[in-house]
């Protein structure tokens, strides 16, 4: 089969898969009660959890584009140079076109479910969230198609967060929990701590594995680290686009904790992935791993101290550790790559006499 024919198949797969996910995810979320359209501020103990639906809709459409483009990519043979650029652009555009079907589908859900007039949900807010999701997904898909670890990490994050949403709904009896967080457990004690830390820990594990794989295959630490951060970054972007929702379910505070834990985990995984390489830097690699572990432990310590969901800035000790880690970590993988590149350039080979 010619490359053009396989590219055509890939484009059709990208459009079809993206459209299916864009339409199916909001509908499936409503039917399984992952999305509770009827929560409001006015009921006794009202929590305003309807705000989280906006974040979910954004995330649904974002991932529809990304997963659709990834599926389409599987049908296209690898290429380099201009051919790869053309393929990447074509698949991204195709997946984006397919995801446009999710905009009227999301609007249809809000019309059918008829949420309380006291909530912030409306046809315009849901439509806007869906449009933002398609745009965000287009940008994410274009970047992910250049990096296999980014595609894999984002796909695993997508599957895991769906499991978290279904588990939360099953336990709480119908409540829109914060995206990527469990809800329905006691607010204090071991159950509350585990409910807060398990989703973050698994996302951090995905980031570690993706970053380790990226560098173990011979990639740069810096590239592998940020490829591993794609999935969590899209979750954070979904929160950001929904207007920083924050209430007794967690919300933006947990999104910040997710970014902190997964970033330090990705940095540590990227450093560990080159531990067997011949050109690894003997000082920076252990330092990166130590700082990553320190950052993760500081987050877990906050969860233990508060007995509730991990919060990134709850006490002076934690904020000092977190800020120091965040300032230092993003630069160390890049510095390590530059050091190794300079060492390799200094190696000269002279022919034997």
């Amino acid at each position: 089969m010619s490359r053009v024919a396989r590219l055509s198949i890939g484009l059709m797969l990208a459009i079809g898969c993206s459209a299916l996910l864009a339409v199916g995810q909001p509908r499936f979320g409503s039917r399984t009660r992952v999305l509770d359209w009827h929560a409001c501020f006015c009921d006794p103990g009202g929590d305003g959890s309807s705000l989280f639906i906006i974040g979910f809709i954004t995330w649904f459409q974002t991932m529809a584009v990304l997963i659709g483009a990834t599926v389409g990519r599987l049908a296209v043979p690898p290429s380099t140079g201009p051919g790869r650029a053309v393929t990447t652009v074509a698949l991204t555009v195709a997946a984006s076109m397919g995801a446009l079907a999710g905009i009227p589908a999301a609007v249809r859900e809000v019309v059918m479910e008829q949420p309380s007039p006291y909530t912030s949900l409306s046809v315009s807010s849901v439509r806007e969230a869906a449009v933002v999701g398609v745009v965000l997904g287009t940008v994410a898909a274009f970047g992910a198609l250049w990096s296999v670890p980014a595609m894999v990490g984002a796909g695993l994050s997508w599957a895991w967060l769906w499991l978290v949403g279904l588990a939360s709904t099953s336990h709480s009896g119908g409540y829109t929990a914060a995206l990527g967080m469990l809800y329905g457990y006691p607010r204090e004690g071991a159950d509350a701590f585990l409910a807060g830390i398990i989703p973050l820990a698994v996302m951090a594990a995905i980031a570690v594995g993706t970053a380790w794989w990226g560098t173990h295959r011979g990639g740069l630490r810096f590239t592998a680290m940020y490829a591993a951060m794609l999935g969590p970054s899209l979750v954070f972007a979904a929160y950001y686009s929904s207007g920083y929702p924050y209430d007794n379910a967690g919300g933006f505070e947990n999104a910040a904790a997710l970014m902190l834990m997964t970033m330090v985990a990705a940095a540590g995984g990227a450093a560990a992935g080159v531990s067997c390489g011949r050109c690894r830097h003997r000082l920076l690699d252990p330092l990166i791993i130590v700082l990553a572990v320190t950052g993760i432990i500081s987050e877990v310590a906050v969860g233990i101290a508060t007995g509730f969901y991990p919060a990134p800035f709850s006490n002076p000790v934690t904020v000092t550790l977190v800020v120091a880690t965040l300032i230092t970590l993003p630069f160390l993988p890049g510095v390590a790559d530059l050091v190794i590149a300079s060492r390799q350039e200094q190696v000269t080979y002279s022919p034997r006499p």
Side-chain angles (χ1 to χ4, degrees):
M1 185 180 296
S2 67
R3 179 177 177 80
V4 174
R6 295 186 64 176
L7 177 59
S8 300
I9 294 175
L11 294 176
M12 289 187 290
L13 287 174
I15 294 174
C17 181
S18 179
L20 179 64
L21 290 175
V23 173
Q25 286 186 108
R27 184 174 180 82
F28 183 70
S30 297
R31 301 304 173 267
T32 57
R33 310 313 300 173
V34 170
L35 305 181
D36 180 10
W37 293 89
H38 303 103
C40 67
F41 291 103
C42 57
D43 62 338
D47 45 58
S49 66
S50 59
L51 287 171
F52 294 126
I53 291 181
I54 301 298
F56 264 98
I57 293 297
T58 303
W59 182 68
F60 286 158
Q61 305 310 318
T62 299
M63 297 310 298
V65 179
L66 180 57
I67 300 299
T70 300
V71 171
R73 181 67 182 82
L74 297 177
V76 183
S79 60
T80 58
R84 185 179 182 183
V86 170
T87 299
T88 300
V89 172
L91 289 174
T92 301
V93 172
S96 302
M97 292 175 58
L100 292 177
I103 299 175
V107 170
R108 181 175 179 272
E109 289 301 315
V110 71
V111 171
M112 289 181 59
E113 294 291 342
Q114 297 180 348
S116 168
Y118 295 98
T119 71
S120 59
L121 288 175
S122 63
V123 169
S124 60
S125 65
V126 171
R127 182 189 295 114
E128 180 181 349
V131 171
V132 170
V134 173
V135 174
L136 183 62
T138 302
V139 176
F142 182 79
L145 288 177
W146 293 93
S147 170
V148 174
M151 288 189 289
V152 172
L156 291 175
S157 300
W158 171 67
W160 169 246
L161 292 188
W162 258 114
L163 290 176
V164 169
L166 292 172
S168 179
T169 301
S170 174
H171 191 281
S172 65
Y175 178 93
T176 303
L179 175 60
M181 300 305 300
L182 292 169
Y183 186 75
Y185 293 83
R187 294 181 61 82
E188 297 181 357
D191 286 348
F193 171 68
L194 290 175
I197 203 66
I198 286 176
L200 299 179
V202 174
M203 290 289 283
I206 292 173
V208 167
T210 304
W212 179 88
W213 180 44
T215 54
H216 192 68
R217 297 167 67 239
L220 299 175
R221 294 169 183 79
F222 196 75
T223 302
M225 174 182 172
Y226 286 98
M229 287 301 300
L230 178 61
S233 297
L234 294 177
V235 176
F236 189 83
Y239 275 101
Y240 184 89
S241 66
S242 59
Y244 304 102
Y246 177 76
D247 71 344
N248 62 359
F252 193 74
E253 193 83 351
N254 281 312
L258 173 67
M259 286 297 294
L260 292 176
M261 288 191 69
T262 52
M263 192 199 79
V264 297
V274 294
S275 59
C276 298
R278 292 176 297 176
C279 298
R280 68 188 182 91
H281 194 281
R282 297 183 182 278
L283 174 62
L284 286 181
D285 286 343
L287 181 59
I288 293 169
I289 295 173
V290 167
L291 283 174
V293 172
T294 301
I296 293 176
I297 290 176
S298 68
E299 284 296 304
V300 175
V302 174
I304 295 174
T306 60
F308 192 44
Y309 296 106
F313 304 115
S314 296
N315 58 64
V317 175
T318 300
V319 74
T320 301
L321 288 173
V322 169
V323 169
T325 302
L326 290 178
I327 290 175
T328 308
L329 263 180
F331 299 100
L332 285 182
V335 171
D337 292 332
L338 290 174
V339 169
I340 289 178
S342 63
R343 284 186 175 184
Q344 290 175 337
E345 291 176 357
Q346 292 174 4
V347 176
T348 58
Y349 298 90
S350 57
R352 293 183 178 179

